[in-house]
Amino acid sequence: MKICKNCGHRFEGKFCNNCGQTAETKLINYHYLRHQLTHSLFHIDAGLLYTSKQLFLRPGHTIREYLEGKRVSHIKPFSFVLILTGFYILLCHWFGINLFSASEESLKSDIGYGKSLNLDEWFLSHFSWVTLVTIPLYTMGTWICFHNKGYNFVEYLVLNTYKAGQRLIVQIVFLPFIFLVKHSLNIGTVMLIVYLIDLGLHFWTNLQFFKPMKPINIIMRSIFSHLIMTILVGLAVLIFIVVMSL
């Protein structure tokens, strides 16, 4: 019989059946730190790479299996998105690219307190938050159009979080290409290509995720969910601009 050093509960085996702590607690020293850093980095990298691969090979099936409990090999959805957004921002600064730049006329806007604020730079600097805030807007469209398919709002939130990861990976892959052609090709053209790829992934993921449904039914609902998302995002941006202008 062992006594848990965390909660004082008596138990047998390798883990406390009251709080879950391991029976053996190692001394915190240099060897402990080296082991923890190596294990943590390997686990994050392995989960990140595995999840990224699965989201492009069998995205809908992978996300459905995750919701059903097959989660050990996957990185958690919000960690997945935060890591990718951090990597995206790093690459954007490295390559000197900002995909939020729509035109030279929109580069700067005088907003609040008489200060000149670069909206494009603001969006890039707050890209992680912008990405996370838009996920519920995507989810709202999915929840409205697929409300009777056995999933709750939070499960659809997970679905759309992994979809956000898909979109980020596509944008990251295109960044070196944009860097090479940014002086000879309109960035708007590249953004259109990226958008079409994202749209294709949106439909493909839904076709797999909602597979028992008829494909035409899935496609029609996916179109309506995308329209709802577009409207909600547009309203959110409009509200943001109005608030910042006050």
Side-chain angles (χ1 to χ4, degrees):
M1 188 70 70
K2 301 173 183 177
I3 299 177
C4 177
K5 294 181 179 180
N6 183 57
C7 66
H9 182 72
R10 292 179 178 272
F11 69 99
E12 294 182 357
K14 295 181 178 181
F15 298 93
C16 174
N17 57 359
N18 183 53
C19 70
Q21 177 160 296
T22 58
E24 297 182 4
T25 54
K26 298 180 180 180
L27 178 67
I28 297 179
N29 53 22
Y30 170 76
H31 297 290
Y32 172 86
L33 179 62
R34 184 179 63 179
H35 172 75
Q36 289 298 314
L37 287 174
T38 304
H39 175 75
S40 298
L41 289 173
F42 175 78
H43 181 73
I44 290 175
D45 289 344
L48 178 66
L49 293 176
Y50 178 79
T51 301
S52 300
K53 177 182 175 181
Q54 293 301 308
L55 286 176
F56 285 89
L57 293 178
R58 45 193 305 274
H61 300 310
T62 296
I63 299 171
R64 186 177 63 250
E65 290 169 358
Y66 181 88
L67 293 177
E68 292 172 351
K70 193 174 181 179
R71 303 171 186 171
V72 173
S73 300
H74 290 285
I75 186 172
K76 294 178 180 179
F78 291 103
S79 298
F80 181 55
V81 168
L82 288 174
I83 290 172
L84 288 175
T85 53
F87 189 52
Y88 172 85
I89 294 169
L90 178 65
L91 288 178
C92 281
H93 284 296
W94 187 19
F95 288 120
I97 296 171
N98 189 348
L99 295 182
F100 286 105
S101 299
S103 63
E104 293 183 1
E105 290 76 17
S106 67
L107 284 178
K108 291 185 177 181
S109 300
D110 293 328
I111 299 177
Y113 306 104
K115 295 181 179 180
S116 179
L117 177 65
N118 190 322
L119 281 179
D120 299 324
E121 283 298 326
W122 187 94
F123 275 110
L124 182 61
S125 301
H126 298 79
F127 186 65
S128 297
W129 289 109
V130 171
T131 301
L132 290 175
V133 167
T134 57
I135 291 173
L137 303 181
Y138 278 86
T139 304
M140 187 63 69
T142 307
W143 182 68
I144 291 172
C145 295
F146 294 93
H147 67 280
N148 59 344
K149 296 304 168 185
Y151 297 98
N152 60 43
F153 186 86
V154 177
E155 289 173 318
Y156 282 139
L157 190 68
V158 170
L159 167 66
N160 285 286
T161 303
Y162 277 125
K163 282 184 180 181
Q166 277 181 330
R167 293 191 297 274
L168 285 165
I169 292 172
V170 172
Q171 292 183 24
I172 288 170
V173 168
F174 267 82
L175 283 177
F177 174 74
I178 294 172
F179 174 75
L180 293 174
V181 302
K182 65 180 181 179
H183 297 299
S184 59
L185 184 66
N186 192 320
I187 290 183
T189 303
V190 180
M191 286 296 293
L192 177 61
I193 295 172
V194 172
Y195 172 74
L196 292 176
I197 293 174
D198 291 342
L199 201 59
L201 287 170
H202 168 69
F203 289 119
W204 184 35
T205 302
N206 281 356
L207 283 168
Q208 290 188 2
F209 188 83
F210 299 104
K211 193 173 182 179
M213 293 174 59
K214 293 181 179 179
I216 187 63
N217 194 1
I218 297 174
I219 291 173
M220 292 304 298
R221 293 190 187 211
S222 298
I223 291 173
F224 283 119
S225 70
H226 190 74
L227 288 174
I228 292 171
M229 176 278 300
T230 303
I231 293 170
L232 291 176
V233 170
L235 288 173
V237 171
L238 180 61
I239 292 171
F240 169 79
I241 293 174
V242 170
V243 171
M244 293 294 289
S245 300
L246 296 177

